[in-house]
Amino acid sequence: MNISIVGTGYVGLVTGVGLAEIGHHVTCIDINEEKIRKLKKGISPIYEPGIESLILKNISKERLDFTTSFDEGIRFADTIYLAVGTPTGIDGEIDMTSFDKASNEIVDSINGPTIIVIKSTVPVGTNNSLQKMMNERAQHKVTVVSNPEFLREGRALSDLFEGDRIIIGSEDKEAIKTMERINTPFDIPMVITSPKSAELIKYASNAFLATKISFINEIANLCDLVGADIQEVSFGMGLDKRIGSQFLQAGTGYGGSCFPKDTLGLLQIAKESGMKFQLLQEVIKTNSKQQKILVKKLLTKMDTINGKKIAILGVAFKPNTDDIREAPALRIIEELSNQGALVYAYDPIVEKSNKALPQNIRMVDMIEEALNQADAALIVTEWEEIKKLKAEDFKKWMKCPIIVDGRNCFDPNEMVQLGIYYQSIGRGGEKKSLVLK
Ligand code: UDX
């Protein structure tokens, strides 16, 4: 099939490369010239393990190309995927600006019967509205299908090729047949449903995963009060197949470009439908509280952090990505800086030049630079490189080994034996020990 993908972000690029890999001819369109120039050379604008080799492979097989021109990009397409961002707007609503702009760009370039696939995460009812617009303005028959993505950053290719299900939202038999033909080579179960159900499956799935995380974080906070161990509690819970062990790791709260956006988005969808989604409001509030917990724990040990050197290990919202959108580290760094701390942050791949980084921190190239003579260290992202550190390293490098571990990377007993003040999430509260210096 000839497929065009509008938008080459985390979703559009991975989807385009994946569709080319299973044999389709794919043209990816983006308005960003620099991004397209690099993609033509096989350079990915996003950090996604394995993506660049697949880009180069499919370019060489002439199944994948890139352009900034909508006309050129969709001229030969019989299926156009809309994969543009639908971020959170200024007051929490779903910002459809890019989506609407892209829809208007393509409607005038459609030159034959076309299927438009909504890959972006969009409010319930968007498929129907776009179908109506296309019926009114397109010169040829256009059928709009919903096909939400479930890709996790850092493992998007495995989620694409080994996903649990492909959701297809349409009532048009021909369009359903085409989507089945496009997706059959993935060999993943396909669920055919209504457009509205497909749109809601996406939001509900992300909101449920966020709910699991906020729930286990609250259980972790209870563990600290009662002296239980969250890793043992989570393990015991997760063996129940009805609960499942995934997304049951307590930490410093969820971040990223999706959970925060999609939980707020679902809240808006409910509100506009006249429903107060109380549970989801609490999930969001709990997460916001959890993102502050590391600083709270730190301040139970240090009377003041004004003028103190604080090391932040990990800035990306999770390992194996360079994405810092809504990363807990950003809120933590802001809080520390507001209280006068000197923040030295380390992350294996987040670029120092990332404009979303706060100005008043020092991004260092090596973990030792962050820890050297630090008064305290906060573990925020569980990168392998950080998890490999030994308790002795902290003792050797830090002025005063106070550690607050937001991702439970280390063994509390090892830390206590070395006289390190160590706090983590949900592991029986403060490990009391004298800081031997
Ligand atoms: C998520 C969904 O998983 C994916 O299906 C959807 O398409 C996009 O949003 P992503 O945001 O890339 O993917 O990251 P994910 O791996 O889901 O983690 C989200 C956040 O939850 C991260 O901040 C992570 O640290 C946190 N998390 C995850 C936990 O705190 N505990 C867990 O057990 C799992």
Side-chain angles (χ1 to χ4, degrees):
M1 299 282 287
N2 286 323
I3 295 173
S4 289
I5 308 270
V6 178
T8 59
Y10 284 95
V11 173
L13 179 59
V14 171
T15 302
V17 168
L19 289 169
E21 180 65 9
I22 61 171
H24 301 297
H25 185 278
V26 179
T27 304
C28 293
I29 308 166
D30 201 291
I31 52 174
N32 182 315
E33 293 194 10
E34 176 61 10
K35 196 188 262 193
I36 293 298
R37 192 182 59 74
K38 284 185 172 175
L39 281 164
K40 282 175 175 288
K41 289 192 247 169
I43 301 168
S44 169
I46 60 169
Y47 178 88
E48 191 61 51
I51 192 89
E52 290 196 339
S53 55
L54 277 189
I55 293 172
L56 286 168
K57 174 186 169 189
N58 284 285
I59 289 174
S60 64
K61 289 187 180 287
E62 297 186 348
R63 291 195 300 235
L64 179 64
D65 54 26
F66 301 92
T67 178
T68 54
S69 149
F70 275 88
D71 263 345
E72 182 199 329
I74 67 171
R75 186 174 305 144
F76 304 110
D78 30 50
T79 308
I80 303 171
Y81 281 65
L82 279 176
V84 292
T86 51
T88 303
I90 37 174
D91 52 7
E93 92 294 352
I94 303 162
D95 180 353
M96 295 293 283
T97 310
S98 302
F99 185 87
D100 295 339
K101 194 166 177 301
S103 308
N104 284 300
E105 286 277 1
I106 56 177
V107 65
D108 299 329
S109 310
I110 286 174
N111 54 16
T114 304
I115 289 176
I116 290 183
V117 180
I118 302 179
K119 183 57 82 172
S120 305
T121 302
V122 294
V124 177
T126 302
N127 180 307
N128 292 351
S129 322
L130 185 59
Q131 183 66 68
K132 194 164 166 294
M133 184 268 248
M134 290 293 166
N135 293 345
E136 285 160 5
R137 289 181 44 195
Q139 302 303 312
H140 298 273
K141 181 179 186 308
V142 171
T143 311
V144 179
V145 175
S146 296
N147 175 222
E149 51 81 21
F150 302 97
L151 307 176
R152 283 168 287 182
E153 287 183 27
R155 47 182 308 159
L157 287 170
S158 61
D159 283 347
L160 182 74
F161 290 115
E162 298 148 32
D164 296 323
R165 76 303 200 190
I166 292 172
I167 301 291
I168 296 166
S170 177
E171 263 116 23
D172 181 289
K173 288 193 175 30
E174 282 313 305
I176 291 169
K177 272 205 206 102
T178 303
M179 290 302 285
E180 286 171 339
R181 204 160 60 243
I182 290 174
N183 289 287
T184 296
F186 283 123
D187 193 21
I188 292 173
M190 285 186 238
V191 175
I192 312 297
T193 183
S194 73
K196 288 187 177 178
S197 296
E199 290 164 335
L200 191 52
I201 287 169
K202 169 65 187 175
Y203 278 104
S205 299
N206 267 6
F208 183 77
L209 292 170
T211 302
K212 268 190 102 170
I213 294 168
S214 281
F215 182 82
I216 203 67
N217 283 335
E218 285 289 64
I219 293 293
N221 298 332
L222 184 56
C223 284
D224 275 337
L225 296 173
V226 302
D229 182 298
I230 189 57
Q231 291 180 317
E232 292 165 5
V233 171
S234 166
F235 177 72
M237 288 169 67
L239 291 172
D240 183 326
K241 290 187 185 57
R242 294 168 301 171
I243 298 172
S245 58
Q246 297 201 46
F247 287 71
L248 218 50
Q249 306 309 313
T252 185
Y254 59 75
S257 64
C258 292
F259 283 2
K261 162 179 77 75
D262 293 349
T263 46
L264 283 173
L266 185 55
L267 216 47
Q268 178 204 336
I269 292 167
K271 189 175 159 205
E272 283 171 3
S273 312
M275 174 187 157
K276 192 170 165 44
F277 202 148
Q278 194 72 41
L279 175 64
L280 188 54
Q281 273 175 337
E282 286 307 313
V283 167
I284 295 168
K285 263 169 59 185
T286 298
N287 189 59
S288 178
K289 179 183 79 171
Q290 195 68 13
Q291 289 193 347
K292 296 179 186 132
I293 200 159
L294 293 196
V295 177
K296 191 160 164 270
K297 284 176 177 267
L298 179 66
L299 294 176
T300 62
K301 183 63 191 171
M302 297 176 78
D303 303 335
T304 174
I305 55 175
N306 184 28
K308 303 287 185 186
K309 176 179 178 179
I310 312 286
I312 295 284
L313 298 190
V315 179
F317 82 91
K318 66 170 185 172
N320 299 318
T321 181
D322 61 350
D323 197 346
I324 63 173
R325 286 175 288 182
E326 299 293 320
L330 298 185
R331 187 166 288 186
I332 291 165
I333 290 167
E334 185 189 357
E335 183 59 27
L336 294 173
S337 305
N338 289 347
Q339 297 199 33
L342 304 172
V343 179
Y344 284 66
Y346 168 81
D347 189 282
I349 60 163
V350 170
E351 296 286 336
K352 281 186 181 173
S353 56
N354 188 320
K355 294 196 176 34
L357 282 169
Q359 293 313 305
N360 51 358
I361 64 164
R362 296 153 189 81
M363 282 297 284
V364 295
D365 297 322
M366 292 168 59
I367 294 178
E368 188 177 341
E369 276 179 78
L371 291 175
N372 187 27
Q373 293 309 300
D375 296 290
L378 303 186
I379 316 299
V380 185
T381 312
E382 65 280 24
W383 285 100
E384 273 315 308
E385 199 176 340
I386 292 167
K387 287 164 72 174
K388 280 190 194 133
L389 286 170
K390 298 269 175 291
E392 291 79 5
D393 297 329
F394 293 99
K395 196 147 165 58
K396 180 173 65 182
W397 291 330
M398 293 176 71
K399 186 198 294 181
C400 180
I402 293 175
I403 299 167
V404 185
D405 181 357
R407 295 290 176 184
N408 292 343
C409 298
F410 300 105
D411 176 353
N413 298 320
E414 242 181 69
M415 294 291 179
V416 170
Q417 276 156 23
L418 276 178
I420 291 172
Y421 178 88
Y422 177 79
Q423 277 224 47
S424 55
I425 304 287
R427 295 200 281 180
E430 195 177 300
K431 297 295 172 204
K432 295 205 180 356
S433 67
L434 278 176
V435 179
L436 308 174
K437 217 28 204 163

